[in-house]
Amino acid sequence: QVVESCVAAAGYSVGEFAALVFAGALGFAEALYAVKVRAEAMQKASEAVPSGMLSVIGRREANYKFACLEARKHCESLGIENPVCEISNYLFPDSRVIAGHLQALEFLQENARKYYFTRTKMLPVSGAFHTRLMEPAVEPLAEVLKSIEIQKPLVCVYSNVDGKKYMHSKHIQKLLVKQVVSPVMWEQTMHSVYERKQGTEFPYTYEVGPGKQLGAVLKKCNLKAWKQYNHIDALEDEEAAET
């Protein structure tokens, strides 16, 4: 019943492929193949440069872009050419993920107080995803998406790149490639999805998959929408069916 009455879907980073499969825009096998190509190409790009991702919670006065600029200048002083340090994920108000050269991220951790960061934590990932350091992964993904049939989604799917609805198959093809080197606009997507007139009821929201991180983010972005949130762990159901 929930699936049949669903009006919109969104997926975080690689989860966007799952959202598009759910919405009928991509076939499951083709999407899985595209994800494999994307993962391998991103891993290869990661190995080329020592880079990573830093989760940051800041105070109201935190200026993330200025902090990134100073971190890049620090990298230049170390002799790193064209250093990368930029926001790669917008999570919720006062929370960002910053990605780039490891030296830049170390600089931000050491100077956290100066930039009004209350908490910084390195993420257990191999590279600076959703930044221009992933440019080598663009071409392999673009090639595979050209060979896949993409349909117009049956329900609205929101893009990570701009937080807006996908319009047609060419649009999906273009933005899935752009997503690899663009920040994940998740906070902006939450605002787009739940924007409604005063007094209008919020829809039921289901997070499908491992963990409840997106639910935690929704709570921080929109408490009223979160009150209609449920988590569905697909793997738990399968295990229960087998026992």
Side-chain angles (χ1 to χ4, degrees):
Q1 192 187 354
V2 166
V3 170
E4 282 176 15
S5 60
C6 180
V7 292
Y12 187 93
S13 190
V14 71
E16 199 159 289
F17 286 85
L20 288 162
V21 169
F22 171 79
L26 294 173
F28 178 70
E30 289 91 343
L32 209 54
Y33 178 61
V35 165
K36 178 181 183 284
V37 170
R38 177 185 183 272
E40 287 169 354
M42 287 169 83
Q43 182 58 34
K44 202 173 171 189
S46 299
E47 287 162 8
V49 177
S51 57
M53 301 179 86
L54 182 72
S55 174
V56 176
I57 293 187
R59 292 191 357 221
R60 282 282 157 88
E61 54 269 55
N63 185 333
Y64 303 94
K65 287 188 174 165
F66 175 67
C68 288
L69 174 70
E70 295 223 316
R72 289 197 298 271
K73 283 183 179 166
H74 167 72
C75 285
E76 282 169 358
S77 75
L78 299 175
I80 297 169
E81 282 182 34
N82 294 325
V84 172
C85 182
E86 55 200 55
I87 296 169
S88 62
N89 308 75
Y90 291 82
L91 295 174
F92 54 85
D94 308 321
S95 176
R96 308 275 185 277
V97 176
I98 293 173
H101 281 82
L102 280 182
Q103 296 90 332
L105 305 182
E106 284 158 7
F107 172 83
L108 291 179
Q109 281 192 297
E110 284 161 19
N111 294 279
R113 212 177 219 169
K114 178 186 174 184
Y115 302 116
Y116 302 103
F117 297 165
T118 53
R119 207 179 85 206
T120 60
K121 186 185 172 196
M122 285 297 290
L123 297 180
V125 295
S126 59
F129 305 135
H130 303 289
T131 70
R132 61 183 172 83
L133 285 175
M134 290 294 117
E135 264 165 17
V138 164
E139 200 50 47
L141 181 60
E143 282 306 307
V144 77
L145 287 173
K146 275 180 201 163
S147 68
I148 290 173
E149 197 180 341
I150 303 173
Q151 310 283 349
K152 189 171 190 274
L154 300 170
V155 297
C156 297
V157 179
Y158 289 80
S159 165
N160 286 180
V161 172
D162 57 11
K164 293 174 184 167
K165 296 171 191 172
Y166 280 116
M167 305 309 291
H168 48 76
S169 57
K170 276 272 181 280
H171 192 210
I172 293 169
Q173 188 183 328
K174 183 182 166 189
L175 291 192
L176 278 180
V177 173
K178 198 175 175 188
Q179 191 230 56
V180 172
V181 288
S182 304
V184 174
M185 302 289 219
W186 194 254
E187 184 185 339
Q188 295 84 338
T189 302
M190 293 298 92
H191 293 317
S192 295
V193 171
Y194 297 105
E195 189 178 16
R196 58 222 330 105
K197 288 195 183 97
Q198 196 89 30
T200 311
E201 280 189 19
F202 283 94
Y204 289 104
T205 298
Y206 296 89
E207 179 175 0
V208 183
K212 300 177 184 177
Q213 290 93 332
L214 299 180
V217 170
L218 175 59
K219 188 177 184 180
K220 294 242 176 21
C221 286
N222 191 323
L223 188 59
K224 284 182 179 172
W226 175 79
K227 285 177 178 168
Q228 305 277 41
Y229 160 90
N230 285 286
H231 173 251
I232 311 293
D233 193 329
L235 294 176
E236 257 177 33
D237 293 347
E238 275 179 25
E239 281 162 15
E242 283 166 14
T243 52

